[in-house]
Amino acid sequence: MAEAKWANLTHNILEIIFSYIDLSDLRVCALVCKNWYKFLNDEDNDVWRMHCVRKLAEEALRSDILSSVPTYKAKLRAFYHAWDPRECSRNVYIKSNGFTLHRNPVAQSTDAAKGKIGFRTGRHCWEVWWEGPLGTVAVIGIATKEAPVQCPGYVALLGSNSESWGWNLVDNHLLHNGDSQGNYPQLNNAPKYQQVMDFAPMVPVQVGERIRVILDCEDNTLAFERNYEFLGVAFRGLPDKKLYPAISAVYGNTEVSMVYLGHPLDG
């Protein structure tokens, strides 16, 4: 009898109760009954909104960083998949919004960062937004836990060893194990990044934009998408290891945001 009463609580009461329950416990709550599962499966109700307001910085909620993430639950999910402060170069820090890294202007250093959560199964998509100049080397891709996050000089750190795979946005080369895996994307009019002139000393600076990364752990492939145009599979035969979103950068004061979007076919 008591179970039936709990299952029939109104949505207003459920909102109040669930808004004070830890996120990890909400997963268990969703398994209690069909009514609770259906209620918590609504990713934009007030329960997720309240948790979102508590966990996420107001800066992130008000900016357009999360513009590609439509629901409150998805925004929370993106936050828990964002850059990992423990897996960043010492020359990189995560800004207060939780989604954007800033590379300090340190000479003769290449610096990398990884996401908090790695993937070994399923299909996953995230968006990388290179908000500052690319510099001479700017690589996006994936890495294992063993891949280094810093090295001397200005090099393509991501893709420089057997533990990482990357696309250098500056020269359109794919990199793995220290070798070029060919040009990418294989299109007739491959997208190139606009060259602009910085003020003194008037050197060319690359300007990037949002790119979606698609990791398919079922087919062991990595692909990219730009302006909703699928650019093709970049890497095949990925290993059966936990793979993390990653980037490596060399340009001082450049900033890179990463937002996890979930399954590539969602939405």
Side-chain angles (χ1 to χ4, degrees):
M1 190 72 174
E3 291 181 1
K5 289 182 179 179
W6 276 104
N8 293 323
L9 290 175
T10 65
H11 283 190
N12 288 341
I13 296 176
L14 288 176
E15 283 178 359
I16 296 172
I17 296 173
F18 289 153
S19 63
Y20 289 98
I21 295 178
D22 290 338
L23 291 172
S24 58
D25 293 330
L26 285 180
R27 297 179 182 178
V28 179
C29 291
L31 301 176
V32 170
C33 62
K34 291 182 179 179
N35 187 39
W36 287 15
Y37 175 82
K38 183 178 180 180
F39 179 78
L40 290 173
N41 207 38
D42 177 3
E43 297 199 353
D44 222 20
N45 63 30
D46 275 354
V47 173
W48 301 116
R49 182 182 66 82
M50 291 299 295
H51 281 286
C52 209
V53 169
R54 291 194 189 108
K55 293 288 184 181
L56 273 64
E58 184 177 351
E59 175 189 352
L61 292 173
R62 289 190 172 185
S63 71
D64 62 349
I65 290 177
L66 296 172
S67 60
S68 299
V69 187
T71 67
Y72 287 117
K73 187 176 181 180
K75 295 180 196 298
L76 276 170
R77 188 184 300 118
F79 174 75
Y80 283 101
H81 284 79
W83 298 123
D84 189 347
R86 300 165 300 180
E87 287 291 331
C88 291
S89 162
R90 62 179 180 271
N91 300 321
V92 167
Y93 69 86
I94 309 302
K95 298 183 68 175
S96 59
N97 64 24
F99 295 91
T100 305
L101 66 81
H102 180 102
R103 183 192 176 273
N104 291 321
V106 178
Q108 292 302 315
S109 176
T110 300
D111 305 289
K114 302 174 192 174
K116 295 174 185 172
I117 297 178
F119 312 107
R120 196 167 188 168
T121 60
R123 296 179 173 90
H124 307 273
C125 178
W126 59 93
E127 193 170 65
V128 176
W129 186 10
W130 210 290
E131 302 174 60
L134 296 180
T136 55
V137 183
V139 189
I140 64 175
I142 53 175
T144 68
K145 203 74 170 179
E146 290 71 32
V149 294
Q150 194 275 333
C151 72
Y154 300 135
V155 300
L157 177 56
L158 197 64
S160 65
N161 50 61
S162 61
E163 302 297 326
S164 59
W165 298 256
W167 172 25
N168 186 358
L169 302 176
V170 177
D171 61 13
N172 282 339
H173 281 175
L174 295 175
L175 305 165
H176 173 59
N177 208 20
D179 295 324
S180 172
Q181 307 292 305
N183 293 330
Y184 182 87
Q186 297 293 333
L187 302 175
N188 292 329
N189 296 306
K192 293 192 179 292
Y193 288 89
Q194 177 186 2
Q195 292 269 6
V196 298
M197 299 304 292
D198 199 356
F199 296 104
M202 294 299 289
V203 295
V205 177
Q206 299 272 3
V207 177
E209 58 189 290
R210 296 192 183 200
I211 292 177
R212 291 188 176 184
V213 186
I214 303 168
L215 174 64
D216 189 334
C217 296
E218 308 305 317
D219 290 337
N220 298 319
T221 61
L222 183 70
F224 299 93
E225 182 182 277
R226 177 179 180 268
N227 293 334
Y228 300 100
E229 179 184 9
F230 183 67
L231 302 179
V233 173
F235 294 99
R236 300 181 186 275
L238 297 175
D240 184 20
K241 292 183 177 182
K242 190 170 284 188
L243 302 170
Y244 295 78
I247 64 99
S248 66
V250 300
Y251 197 91
N253 292 320
T254 196
E255 296 187 340
V256 187
S257 300
M258 189 266 287
V259 177
Y260 179 75
L261 302 177
H263 194 286
L265 297 181
D266 287 350

